[in-house]
Amino acid sequence: MVTSSSMGCLRRVCCIPQRYVLGVMGLLGMANAYIMRACLSIAITAMVSHPPTTSSYVNEEECPAAQPSNTTHNAVKGNFNWDEPTQGMILSAFYYGYIITHVPGGVLAQKFGGKHTFGLGIFSTAIITLLTPLVAEHLGSTGLIFLRFLMGLGEGTTFPALSTLLAQWAPPLEKSRLSSMCFAGVQLGMIIATSLGGIIIQYDGWASVFYVFGTVGLVWFVIWCLICFNDPGSHPFITDEEKNYLAETIGGIERDKDLPGTPWKILFTSWPVWALIIGETGHDWGLYTMITDLPKYMNDVMHFDIAENGLVSAIPYLTMWICSLLIGGVADWLLTRNVLTITPLRKLLASIGAIGPGLGAVLASYAGCDKLLVTIMFTIGMGLMGFCYASLRVNSLDLSPNYAGSIMAVVNGLSSVSGMITPYLIGVLTPNRSLREWRVVFWIMFAVLFFSNCVFVWFGSGEVQPWNDTRKRKTSPQNGKERHDADHERSGDDFDEIKTS
């Protein structure tokens, strides 16, 4: 039991603002989620034995394979005879479960808080990750497809739960920074999954990847339960200074336990919400194409070995991670200095984050077999995708802080359809694993990113919507905008006065 004297010691020791502790733990949580989700993408290149391509197919643009090394650890032999469509089904099965639990996860997070909704999602993913080698060996592709479906069910709660937590902890003028910090865990997870995963497979076999990363996920869960809380009001060792700052800038330090149910009818008839759904769907199409299949492209087309593949596939995500962290701070600075208002800023960043990755992938396919140039093109493109994390990813908090969890649930749930489609479609489009076939994949990716971004630019918004508080706000959208602007000004003044919180 924690005594008052020990609590005082904790307050003195924990001088770091607790909203940043939550931000770092959120980042690590998202990183763990994506490590465990994506490690199969790198492992499957070692799990599968690649049969010869169709004998009647002549690949005029085939890249020369590297000469095999004589080192004892270089030969990684696959023992599963899964064709490309089967691999696509295995990789996409996660998203069939993922889409189901988004809305229930958002509702649970709003009602009971995001701490346990988020934490249990990571915990269940860790347990299933540990079971993956056993299921693959004994139940084959069918068992693995079902297990990945269950993993998606568990992890579907994470995005809406984290959005609910950020709505309670992120002041308006730190929203982009804290949100970008947390959601940058996506790229950090991909960096670790691909780079470290490739090395582990090279030296200790593909099964070790799941054991190592699953164990790390369990360790994170224990720490999360001990040091993170639903809101500032329930936090036992937050400083009074930070608590007062959050109360003044956010408008309260506790969850609104009497908040009416989500206004689903209004939400589903809101143009800004649908613009966000379509924009996020396009973004996820590009992201999931890279997450699930970039390692396969580097292996099948560019002929990197498993360790090189992991390291090279990690470089674009490293650039994307750095870019997303930097752009979050830049976005808050532009808002604080009134260089741009919130809606034009979100649309500008979303546009860069959509067009850049599409062009990068297409240009990489025209770079042929030049491994360095291909890596550079993917790196630049994926780096620019980091701009979306201070635009699309934070937009649910802009539209409705009270119902951010539900909006994120709907947006991220529906957009995960991209994850259901892309791995299987790529498997169908690339039966011979040729450069020409992959070029079609990247042109489709560019088209989806471009047209979905056009919808977001035309219909999207960064303003708090009038239905954010259905009890008090029977106002027009214009009144809602005025209130948001007033809150924005007030929080700016508070930010200048209370910098040390």
Side-chain angles (χ1 to χ4, degrees):
M1 184 173 179
V2 181
T3 64
S4 58
S5 60
S6 62
M7 198 62 68
C9 291
L10 279 172
R11 287 195 179 96
R12 288 190 293 273
V13 172
C14 299
C15 56
I16 301 173
Q18 293 304 304
R19 62 189 183 276
Y20 294 128
V21 173
L22 180 90
V24 171
M25 287 301 295
L27 179 149
L28 295 176
M30 291 304 300
N32 272 288
Y34 271 77
I35 288 170
M36 293 183 288
R37 180 195 304 195
C39 61
L40 180 62
S41 296
I42 187 73
I44 203 170
T45 63
M47 294 167 69
V48 174
S49 58
H50 295 287
T53 57
T54 307
S55 59
S56 61
Y57 179 81
V58 178
N59 185 359
E60 298 175 353
E61 299 179 277
E62 182 177 5
C63 298
Q67 293 298 317
S69 169
N70 291 325
T71 57
T72 58
H73 58 73
N74 192 54
V76 180
K77 300 294 185 183
N79 53 347
F80 295 102
N81 296 315
W82 299 331
D83 60 18
E84 293 298 319
T86 300
Q87 293 177 55
M89 280 301 300
I90 292 170
L91 292 172
S92 65
F94 171 93
Y95 299 99
Y96 286 86
Y98 189 65
I99 194 173
I100 293 172
T101 51
H102 266 70
V103 171
V107 172
L108 288 172
Q110 285 171 186
K111 187 171 181 62
F112 301 108
K115 173 182 176 176
H116 294 301
T117 312
F118 184 67
L120 290 173
I122 307 298
F123 175 77
S124 64
T125 303
I127 296 297
I128 290 171
T129 299
L130 291 169
L131 292 173
T132 298
L134 183 66
V135 171
E137 290 285 358
H138 291 87
L139 300 177
S141 61
T142 302
L144 190 53
I145 288 170
F146 181 69
L147 191 70
R148 294 287 291 182
F149 172 79
L150 293 180
M151 179 184 281
L153 286 177
E155 201 172 309
T157 63
T158 52
F159 268 95
L162 187 55
S163 293
T164 299
L165 286 167
L166 288 169
Q168 301 300 322
W169 282 94
L173 293 182
E174 297 180 35
K175 194 186 299 178
S176 297
R177 190 182 319 153
L178 279 170
S179 297
S180 295
M181 178 191 296
C182 289
F183 293 124
V186 173
Q187 299 91 52
L188 181 60
M190 292 305 304
I191 294 166
I192 296 172
T194 53
S195 59
L196 185 57
I199 294 171
I200 293 172
I201 293 169
Q202 188 84 359
Y203 286 90
D204 203 33
W206 61 264
S208 298
V209 170
F210 299 99
Y211 297 137
V212 171
F213 293 146
T215 302
V216 172
L218 293 180
V219 172
W220 173 90
F221 174 71
V222 173
I223 299 172
W224 171 262
C225 290
L226 292 175
I227 68 173
C228 293
F229 296 85
N230 283 321
D231 51 55
S234 64
H235 202 298
F237 45 88
I238 189 174
T239 63
D240 292 335
E241 290 82 4
E242 184 179 11
K243 188 180 289 187
N244 292 335
Y245 170 59
L246 295 175
E248 292 176 12
T249 55
I250 298 176
I253 57 172
E254 293 185 350
R255 289 183 299 112
D256 187 350
K257 298 180 177 65
D258 297 320
L259 188 69
T262 303
W264 294 110
K265 182 177 179 181
I266 299 174
L267 190 151
F268 278 111
T269 55
S270 168
W271 280 108
V273 170
W274 276 107
L276 178 58
I277 290 171
I278 294 171
E280 187 72 36
T281 300
H283 166 78
D284 284 358
W285 186 286
L287 181 63
Y288 293 148
T289 297
M290 295 292 101
I291 286 176
T292 58
D293 288 288
L294 182 58
K296 291 181 65 179
Y297 181 83
M298 293 301 196
N299 179 77
D300 296 345
V301 177
M302 303 309 299
H303 299 301
F304 286 101
D305 69 34
I306 190 69
E308 290 176 336
N309 187 357
L311 292 171
V312 170
S313 296
I315 293 172
Y317 298 109
L318 176 62
T319 308
M320 185 179 175
W321 179 56
I322 294 171
C323 185
S324 64
L325 290 176
L326 292 176
I327 204 63
V330 171
D332 283 338
W333 182 85
L334 291 172
L335 291 173
T336 304
R337 297 295 185 273
N338 293 318
V339 177
L340 285 172
T341 57
I342 192 164
T343 296
L345 175 65
R346 300 296 188 226
K347 292 180 178 181
L348 174 63
L349 297 180
S351 298
I352 297 172
I355 306 302
L359 283 177
V362 169
L363 292 175
S365 71
Y366 284 99
C369 300
D370 187 328
K371 292 184 176 182
L372 177 60
L373 186 56
V374 167
T375 304
I376 290 173
M377 290 296 101
F378 278 127
T379 299
I380 294 174
M382 293 301 289
L384 293 176
M385 187 175 275
F387 281 64
C388 288
Y389 286 81
S391 53
L392 294 174
R393 288 296 190 201
V394 75
N395 194 227
S396 61
L397 299 176
D398 296 329
L399 298 178
S400 177
N402 283 333
Y403 299 107
S406 291
I407 296 175
M408 176 59 83
V410 170
V411 170
N412 211 53
L414 292 179
S415 65
S416 65
V417 171
S418 296
M420 297 161 60
I421 296 173
T422 52
Y424 182 74
L425 179 63
I426 291 171
V428 171
L429 291 175
T430 59
N432 299 288
R433 308 188 297 277
S434 73
L435 180 58
R436 182 176 299 171
E437 291 169 343
W438 274 95
R439 189 172 293 148
V440 175
V441 170
F442 293 136
W443 270 113
I444 293 173
M445 171 181 159
F446 173 80
V448 172
L449 283 165
F450 178 81
F451 288 110
S452 62
N453 182 68
C454 289
V455 174
F456 181 74
V457 169
W458 189 260
F459 296 105
S461 174
E463 305 293 346
V464 173
Q465 298 301 292
W467 41 266
N468 178 57
D469 192 338
T470 55
R471 295 166 305 184
K472 301 175 183 176
R473 302 187 57 169
K474 303 295 184 181
T475 60
S476 66
Q478 289 78 12
N479 289 335
K481 182 179 184 301
E482 288 165 6
R483 174 171 173 172
H484 175 73
D485 291 342
D487 289 344
H488 196 281
E489 268 185 65
R490 185 189 67 184
S491 55
D493 295 336
D494 292 334
F495 182 76
D496 292 334
E497 291 172 7
I498 314 173
K499 290 182 179 176
T500 59
S501 297

